[in-house]
Amino acid sequence: MPGTNLTREEAQQRAKLLTVDSYEVELDLSGAQGLGASPAEPGDGTYPSVTTVRFRSAEAGAGTFIDLVAPAVHEVVLNGRSLDVAAVFRDARITLDHLVAGANELRVVADCAYTNTGEGLHRFVDPVDQQTYLYTQFEVPDARRVFASFEQPDLKATFRFTVKAPEGWTVISNSPTPERPADGVWRFEPTPRISTYITALIVGPYHSVHSSYEKDGRTVPLGIYCRPSLAGFLDADAIFDVTRQGFDWFEEKFDYAYPFAKYDQLFVPEFNAGAMENAGAVTIRDQYVFRSKVTDAAYETRAETILHELAHMWFGDLVTMEWWNDLWLNESFATYTSIACQAYAEGSKWPHAWTTFANSMKTWAYRQDQLPSTHPIMADIRDLDDVLVNFDGITYAKGASVLKQLVAYVGMDAFFQGVQAYFKAHAFGNTRLSDLLGALEKTSGRDLTAWSKAWLETAGINVLRPEVETDANGVITSFAVRQEAPALPAGAKGEPTLRPHRIAIGLYELQDGRLVRADRIELDIDGGLTEVPELVGRARPAVFLLNDDDLSYAKVRLDEESLATVTAHLGDFAESLPRALCWASAWDMTRDGELATRDYLALVLSGIGKESDIGVVQSLHRQVKLAVELYAAPAWREEGLAAWTEATLEHLRAAGPGSDHQLAWARAFAATARTEGQLTYLAALLSGAAEIEGLAVDTELRWAFLERLAATGTADEAAVEAELKRDPTAAGERHAATARAARPTAEAKAAAWASVVEGDALPNAVQEAVIGGFVQSDQRELLAPYTEKYFAVVKEVWETRSHEIAQQIAVGLYPALQVSPRTLAATDAWLASAEPNAALRRLVSESRAGVERALKAQAADAAAASA
């Protein structure tokens, strides 16, 4: 939306002038249920919003502005003086002139709008019970869609919400929920001083389960909420168990009691992200209430999300970044500590959490860091447009990797001692990175100036290689670690940088067919070459593994002899983490064109049967599919897909009945089934004509099978409609939208395109489902005409839709499957002529880089075939 940007300089000026004391927000949501079953229709409803803000000005006569995105403003009263609404409300801002020195009071009466985009106050109607469910999502700048606010993180205040709701509904906010009022008006006590973006309201006839966390005489009420149509699937006890484990571990490590009055977790519909750390009222995507059987990897991911948001209660909510430059620290800290809790907390079900991190989060980081948009971890956030596209692999995954490196560098005890001092010094305030680093320097005795500059203020990845020499008897005569700093991607800012690393070197031997770690050396490396004299004079092991235990953030390569052993025995590592590191290295080499796609497929096929970690198995499934579909030489692609699909079917039939591996292989088979025989078998599994012992073809698996059958033209519209009648839920509607858009006909593609691009009625989750169905890797010819259409409309879409909706379209509909120089040329021509803003330019440039990488990988694969 034009006019909604805010620059860092504007925020700094406003923070220098103002101290905000309190907000009183009154919302009348009593009409929300009566708007009709479809919240997607244009002009589908507004609600009265009254905001009273009390703030202090450092200067008499000064001017500033308050933020508000609203269809109508009826009244603006500043210090008892009515302002001309037409004169002061423009471009999502209300101008405030002639402030008095000291205390000021502002009252704004407006009509704000419900949304179906997952931003502001989202409205959803459950097709099961036809009831309306509301929730807010405010990060980064969307509290202003619900009430007038000084929308920046360093202008903290207290918030008192008063909400009128329909009879029978519940209202949840940051403060404890009051007793159900007779008059339908819910009056909350004021919050502590918090930022606007972590305030929240969740309103509707939600189902709830309650418990508590008790420690040292304190009791923290705990609540879990979801829609009644999901209540039968809500495993509240498991969620409470993870939550209490997090409370125990974080309170011990942070030495600071949970800082809010209660802790609710609310599983809400059509949520754009995984979850959001609203203080005391965390919202979580309700796909985490599992309707069907999922693997343990899904439970692990949900637990990490729960712990990530809980960690934010301290780091982010209690102590908050001054400006979005430190978004990375906010997210990286929560990511690092959530995974550390899973890995180290007593009784954790997922002590292998760092394996999952290495094989999923870090691969995301490595990918992001090789795009033309790569940036330092501490990014230069000039305005809101910058931060909105900066929730990326560097902000989350690289940042968390570097925090893990920092912990290794200063020591875990010193790290958490510094964190404890940081929380005590800055509770309910705002900070910069320097505040945390200063605390860590005091507790560790390490000077972190050079470390911070090298790791946080530069972009790009280092490559670590072993250089080893042995004598005729296999005794090591020299060993060193070579560090390289490859050139940054074209268009990226900055220079390649060599960094200090704290790493471990693992020495592995083959024992009874297993690769077992015989020794481990931990050391600091810096510069281009670091000698390791401790290894000289020892017998050479079967494998040298640099960055063992995954302490640092770097690409790792193997020496020739180690590579040969790992290629033959990758599945034979006794522990999951070294296997994951080697799998990740092989994947990285494939993406870089150093390992041909056909060789990567052969490596996976040789070792995946021995892989016990289900999260790694599922990552390999995704990576192989992507590699063969995008990185294989086109002439060999179908052969590769055929070999992979036959392997998935073999593993499916061989897997233990009812096991996680069986379910994962069933989904992998469904993802690429292609021959007449395979599709006939898939249809038979769906209908029940064929069965596999232990495989429950439940609701979600049925949709996975049907979506593939629809994409191949094997299932028609009648089959989709019949399945939707079996599952007439919101999730079923999304799956049906995917299946319809996936059909291999020009009519289906045109209808899907029109619903997303030419219309704007689809809710965010349904639009995402349609885009997911529209883009099918074996429909390249059918999709080819949409390359030109994409470039004709993407700028207009960006300028006229909300950020979340526009980003879905800009990224999801980019012609990434059209891997050819023509696509690069079309992209370059558009970038040169369209004059997109920085955020859209970044997203399109990132997609272009994916096509360029695929072309290089395809060339490498073709070269391997002719070698």
Side-chain angles (χ1 to χ4, degrees):
M1 178 180 294
T4 57
N5 204 359
L6 173 74
T7 69
R8 179 176 54 207
E9 288 70 24
E10 288 175 319
Q12 289 170 340
Q13 291 169 6
R14 193 161 61 173
K16 185 177 180 181
L17 177 66
L18 303 182
T19 300
V20 186
D21 295 315
S22 67
Y23 290 81
E24 293 184 7
V25 178
E26 302 171 49
L27 304 176
D28 184 351
L29 307 179
S30 58
Q33 177 62 27
L35 294 176
S38 172
E41 297 169 3
D44 200 22
T46 60
Y47 53 91
S49 169
V50 180
T51 309
T52 302
V53 193
R54 295 178 178 88
F55 61 95
R56 285 168 282 150
S57 171
E59 300 177 20
T64 187
F65 61 91
I66 195 166
D67 306 286
L68 180 65
V69 176
V73 175
H74 301 293
E75 186 179 338
V76 178
V77 180
L78 176 62
N79 296 327
R81 173 171 53 95
S82 292
L83 305 184
D84 182 353
V85 172
V88 299
F89 178 51
R90 184 177 296 107
D91 288 339
R93 296 180 178 185
I94 298 173
T95 301
L96 306 175
D97 287 330
H98 306 297
L99 301 177
V100 300
N104 291 259
E105 182 178 294
L106 173 70
R107 185 172 185 267
V108 178
V109 180
D111 288 337
C112 292
Y114 298 104
T115 74
N116 65 351
T117 67
E119 302 151 300
L121 182 59
H122 184 92
R123 181 177 177 274
F124 168 84
V125 176
D126 191 333
V128 174
D129 59 15
Q130 294 301 309
Q131 290 290 310
T132 296
Y133 298 85
L134 309 174
Y135 65 87
T136 58
Q137 169 58 22
F138 289 160
E139 189 176 35
V140 175
D142 286 325
R144 58 186 173 168
R145 294 181 182 270
V146 176
F147 57 91
S149 63
F150 296 108
E151 193 78 280
Q152 59 192 74
D154 58 341
L155 288 179
K156 287 188 169 184
T158 63
F159 294 81
R160 182 194 291 270
F161 289 101
T162 301
V163 179
K164 186 175 183 180
E167 183 179 355
W169 284 21
T170 298
V171 182
I172 303 97
S173 187
N174 307 96
S175 299
T177 301
E179 293 294 323
R180 183 175 298 277
D183 61 358
V185 180
W186 300 72
R187 299 170 178 87
F188 290 85
E189 291 299 312
T191 68
R193 288 185 64 81
I194 57 177
S195 299
T196 55
Y197 79 92
I198 55 170
T199 59
L201 288 166
I202 301 90
V203 186
Y206 283 89
H207 167 81
S208 63
V209 181
H210 297 273
S211 187
S212 63
Y213 173 74
E214 298 180 5
K215 183 180 180 182
D216 300 333
R218 293 181 295 113
T219 298
V220 179
L222 305 177
I224 299 173
Y225 294 76
C226 70
R227 287 175 287 135
S229 60
L230 289 174
F233 306 108
L234 181 65
D235 51 340
D237 288 343
I239 295 168
F240 280 135
D241 285 347
V242 172
T243 304
R244 291 192 189 93
Q245 184 179 77
F247 266 83
D248 282 340
W249 201 78
F250 292 143
E251 287 201 345
E252 176 194 349
K253 293 299 181 183
F254 301 161
D255 192 30
Y256 197 108
Y258 173 72
F260 300 104
K262 53 90 177 179
Y263 193 67
D264 291 327
Q265 297 175 90
L266 303 108
F267 292 87
V268 296
E270 299 184 333
F271 201 66
N272 285 322
M276 177 61 204
E277 68 266 24
N278 312 306
V282 169
T283 42
I284 308 173
R285 64 190 294 120
D286 64 10
Q287 286 92 329
Y288 279 136
V289 178
F290 301 121
R291 306 190 310 151
S292 298
K293 177 180 172 59
V294 296
T295 69
D296 186 63
Y299 287 103
E300 181 184 357
T301 298
R302 184 180 71 177
E304 192 277 324
T305 300
I306 289 169
L307 295 170
H308 179 107
E309 305 309 326
L310 180 56
H312 271 312
M313 296 301 108
W314 289 266
F315 207 103
D317 293 5
L318 173 67
V319 182
T320 311
M321 62 204 158
E322 181 180 290
W323 176 245
W324 299 102
N325 279 36
D326 285 326
L327 171 67
W328 79 271
L329 186 57
N330 191 35
E331 299 301 343
S332 297
F333 185 92
T335 298
Y336 169 78
T337 52
S338 63
I339 295 167
C341 178
Q342 286 183 296
Y344 307 137
E346 184 178 352
S348 171
K349 295 181 180 179
W350 300 282
H352 59 275
W354 288 121
T355 297
T356 305
F357 179 77
N359 214 57
S360 56
M361 291 288 281
K362 286 190 84 167
T363 57
W364 177 29
Y366 292 147
R367 174 188 175 275
Q368 190 80 46
D369 218 359
Q370 295 176 85
L371 292 172
S373 59
T374 186
H375 56 84
I377 292 174
M378 188 175 176
D380 182 23
I381 302 297
R382 300 161 297 182
D383 54 27
L384 293 180
D385 282 353
D386 277 353
V387 70
L388 284 168
V389 294
N390 229 55
F391 288 81
D392 61 16
I394 293 175
T395 295
Y396 283 80
K398 182 178 180 180
S401 302
V402 169
L403 282 185
K404 188 180 183 185
Q405 167 75 182
L406 178 60
V407 172
Y409 190 63
V410 302
M412 184 171 290
D413 289 344
F415 177 81
F416 281 110
Q417 288 166 8
V419 167
Q420 292 164 12
Y422 172 83
F423 287 141
K424 291 180 177 67
H426 302 288
F428 294 105
N430 295 86
T431 60
R432 299 180 180 183
L433 170 65
S434 56
D435 295 308
L436 177 62
L437 293 182
L440 295 177
E441 286 182 333
K442 288 181 180 178
T443 55
S444 69
R446 289 256 200 179
D447 182 351
L448 297 178
T449 304
W451 181 92
S452 174
K453 185 173 183 61
W455 277 106
L456 305 180
E457 299 177 27
T458 63
I461 311 174
N462 298 125
V463 180
L464 304 180
R465 303 179 189 273
E467 294 189 357
V468 55
E469 294 181 5
T470 60
D471 63 17
N473 298 316
V475 174
I476 300 169
T477 57
S478 71
F479 191 99
V481 178
R482 173 73 63 183
Q483 180 182 186
E484 301 167 358
L488 297 182
K493 298 178 181 178
E495 298 294 332
T497 304
L498 296 176
R499 300 181 177 91
H501 298 259
R502 182 74 177 176
I503 70 164
I505 302 173
L507 284 66
Y508 288 81
E509 297 286 7
L510 273 169
Q511 297 179 7
D512 299 324
R514 303 284 280 164
L515 276 170
V516 178
R517 186 161 72 184
D519 202 358
R520 175 186 184 275
I521 295 173
E522 189 170 321
L523 72 158
D524 291 323
I525 68 168
D526 204 352
L529 191 70
T530 301
E531 299 287 345
V532 188
E534 299 94 320
L535 293 177
V536 174
R538 303 174 57 159
R540 187 209 153 86
V543 174
F544 290 108
L545 182 58
L546 301 187
N547 200 29
D548 203 11
D549 294 326
D550 202 27
L551 299 182
S552 192
Y553 173 83
K555 293 184 182 184
V556 170
R557 298 294 184 254
L558 300 170
D559 66 277
E560 186 174 348
E561 192 170 328
S562 296
L563 179 60
T565 302
V566 167
T567 300
H569 295 281
L570 201 159
D572 295 323
F573 279 98
E575 301 296 330
S576 64
L577 183 52
R579 287 199 308 271
L581 294 176
C582 290
W583 284 124
S585 180
W587 172 237
D588 184 63
M589 292 172 68
T590 305
R591 293 187 68 251
D592 284 354
E594 297 177 23
L595 181 67
T597 297
R598 63 197 66 210
D599 294 334
Y600 177 68
L601 175 61
L603 177 64
V604 172
L605 291 178
S606 71
I608 195 170
K610 300 176 183 177
E611 181 54 67
S612 59
D613 189 294
I614 189 61
V616 174
V617 168
Q618 290 179 279
S619 289
L620 291 170
H621 289 170
R622 292 188 294 270
Q623 289 163 359
V624 166
K625 183 175 183 293
L626 175 61
V628 180
E629 289 178 341
L630 278 185
Y631 299 156
W636 181 80
R637 182 188 298 135
E638 192 57 39
E639 181 182 340
L641 284 168
W644 170 245
T645 308
E646 282 302 313
T648 64
L649 185 56
E650 291 173 10
H651 282 287
L652 168 59
R653 288 168 167 158
S659 66
D660 281 359
H661 283 67
Q662 184 187 59
L663 175 59
W665 283 111
R667 287 186 166 276
F669 171 63
T672 57
R674 54 204 324 96
T675 66
E676 183 178 352
Q678 291 167 355
L679 294 170
T680 298
Y681 185 57
L682 192 63
L685 288 173
L686 177 61
S687 69
E691 294 183 355
I692 298 176
E693 182 186 358
L695 182 66
V697 184
D698 54 21
T699 303
E700 289 295 324
L701 195 56
R702 288 184 62 84
W703 279 115
F705 290 175
L706 181 61
E707 286 166 12
R708 183 58 184 165
L709 293 170
T712 56
T714 311
D716 58 13
E717 167 61 26
V720 176
E721 185 62 29
E723 194 63 29
L724 182 57
K725 286 182 179 179
R726 289 176 59 110
D727 181 27
T729 64
E733 290 179 347
R734 294 194 300 271
H735 284 303
T738 296
R740 288 171 174 142
R743 290 172 298 169
T745 68
E747 293 77 13
K749 298 306 174 187
W753 178 271
S755 69
V756 171
V757 176
E758 297 167 16
D760 62 357
L762 295 182
N764 54 334
V766 177
Q767 176 177 284
E768 182 181 38
V770 171
I771 291 172
F774 179 85
V775 179
Q776 297 291 319
S777 60
D778 41 11
Q779 296 174 3
R780 286 176 171 84
E781 291 185 8
L782 195 58
L783 295 174
Y786 290 93
T787 298
E788 183 177 351
K789 293 180 180 181
Y790 171 87
F791 289 114
V793 301
V794 66
K795 184 180 180 184
E796 181 184 356
V797 165
W798 188 264
E799 293 175 344
T800 57
R801 308 288 183 91
S802 77
H803 173 78
E804 290 288 348
I805 293 295
Q807 181 161 311
Q808 278 187 7
I809 295 171
V811 175
L813 293 181
Y814 179 87
L817 293 174
Q818 308 300 326
V819 179
S820 73
R822 291 189 301 277
T823 303
L824 297 182
T827 308
D828 291 340
W830 180 86
L831 289 169
S833 63
E835 298 182 349
N837 73 358
L840 179 57
R841 178 178 291 276
R842 169 178 169 165
L843 295 176
V844 174
S845 297
E846 288 179 346
S847 296
R848 180 198 184 280
V851 173
E852 187 173 42
R853 178 176 292 275
L855 279 170
K856 292 178 180 177
Q858 287 181 7
D861 190 54
S866 59

